[in-house]
Amino acid sequence: MRIDKFLADNSIGTRKEIKAIVKAGRITVNGERAGDPGMHIDPEKDIISLDGSVIEYERFHYYMLNKPAGTVSSTREGASVTVVELLAAENVKNLSPVGRLDKDTEGLLILTDDGALLHDLISPSKHVGKEYLVHTEKPLSDSDIRTLEGGVDIGDDKPTLPAHAVTREDGLHLTIYEGRFHQVKRMLEAVGNKVLYLKRLRMGDLTLDPSLAPGEYRRLTPEELSLLR
Ligand code: URA
């Protein structure tokens, strides 16, 4: 692998910045100064350092974003900012959100360039649980809760899979094991209610870091990553 690609994969800078860093002699390969950005290295064996600090090779990148309302999870929709654009400073190519949240939905969104993990997490057969905090127009009755939990007809071929629903002080906590289009909103509509606010709190065993304000993100820790695998 070229050393400039290695450095770009590890978010050291843009191609232009990396060229300047290498030319300035700030990168060493096994203790020897590297002067050529096109130099070939073996990321598994060679020890690459920047200003004397070893750069651990990361083939893939994993982030947790607290998605703010008003941003879109897919490609640009008019003037709306995409979630990938929020992480532009990371300079990671091929970053994709794991599943989609509606434009007005907030909360946990994982972004990665690891296509295999992404595929696994959104695969309908895996039934990864997703917990949402839901504020509704009207209070929910016990019978509504039972209906949501048992599976509800939202106008698709099949009713929704059994879910977990509980009302707490901050609102309804609804955990679903599928990812149908506007699923939570349609489930609440099916019991004669309306979603006023929606936030994803958890995906599988990974919980949104409460210290992340909407729009903030950080890398997943190795422990968090292992929760997703
Ligand atoms: N269900 C919805 O209705 N919207 C979301 O953004 C996520 C789940």
Side-chain angles (χ1 to χ4, degrees):
M1 170 189 267
R2 282 173 59 119
I3 197 160
D4 53 2
K5 163 103 174 60
F6 170 90
L7 296 169
D9 279 357
N10 286 281
S11 310
I12 298 302
T14 61
R15 280 285 160 134
K16 197 170 159 205
E17 286 162 351
I18 285 169
K19 199 169 170 189
I21 288 169
V22 176
K23 293 266 183 215
R26 294 171 59 194
I27 300 291
T28 55
V29 178
N30 305 321
E32 301 283 324
R33 198 162 281 187
D36 175 12
M39 172 185 183
H40 280 260
I41 52 124
D42 180 343
E44 310 288 340
K45 292 196 189 123
D46 293 323
I47 297 170
I48 320 297
S49 303
L50 166 62
D51 298 333
S53 304
V54 174
I55 303 167
E56 300 295 343
Y57 180 56
E58 284 184 89
R59 172 73 186 84
F60 296 118
H61 305 80
Y62 307 89
Y63 299 91
M64 166 191 296
L65 166 73
N66 184 356
K67 177 193 173 295
T71 53
V72 290
S73 305
S74 50
T75 44
R76 235 174 203 288
E77 249 177 50
S80 304
V81 172
T82 70
V83 289
V84 172
E85 284 168 337
L86 296 176
L87 279 79
E90 298 297 304
N91 287 313
V92 178
K93 275 200 206 112
N94 304 323
L95 212 51
S96 296
V98 176
R100 290 184 181 178
L101 291 177
D102 295 339
K103 188 170 173 181
D104 55 356
T105 303
E106 290 184 1
L108 177 63
L109 197 59
I110 298 155
L111 289 104
T112 185
D113 51 358
D114 179 347
L117 181 81
L118 190 145
H119 182 265
D120 260 16
L121 287 171
I122 58 174
S123 161
S125 63
K126 293 274 161 101
H127 301 309
V128 174
K130 287 157 287 244
E131 180 180 344
Y132 292 89
L133 169 66
V134 193
H135 291 174
T136 52
E137 194 175 53
K138 293 180 278 181
L140 288 142
S141 66
D142 290 347
S143 140
D144 293 338
I145 296 284
R146 279 196 299 275
T147 307
L148 292 173
E149 288 202 313
V152 42
D153 179 3
I154 58 171
D156 292 343
D157 297 348
K158 290 182 192 159
T160 56
L161 285 179
H164 182 68
V166 59
T167 24
R168 301 217 181 114
E169 243 172 48
D170 57 349
L172 168 72
H173 285 241
L174 179 65
T175 305
I176 57 171
Y177 299 88
E178 308 160 277
R180 300 195 206 172
F181 186 61
H182 294 328
Q183 181 164 343
V184 174
K185 290 174 184 162
R186 288 159 70 208
M187 285 173 79
L188 270 299
E189 268 166 33
V191 292
N193 214 318
K194 194 174 171 212
V195 171
L196 299 181
Y197 171 78
L198 190 57
K199 178 178 185 178
R200 183 153 67 194
L201 302 175
R202 188 173 54 82
M203 190 156 181
D205 290 326
L206 180 68
T207 305
L208 176 67
D209 178 344
S211 74
L212 290 177
E216 289 184 346
Y217 66 87
R218 65 162 171 78
R219 287 206 177 201
L220 291 187
T221 63
E223 294 73 30
E224 287 172 332
L225 186 55
S226 67
L227 294 175
L228 293 175
R229 288 206 161 114

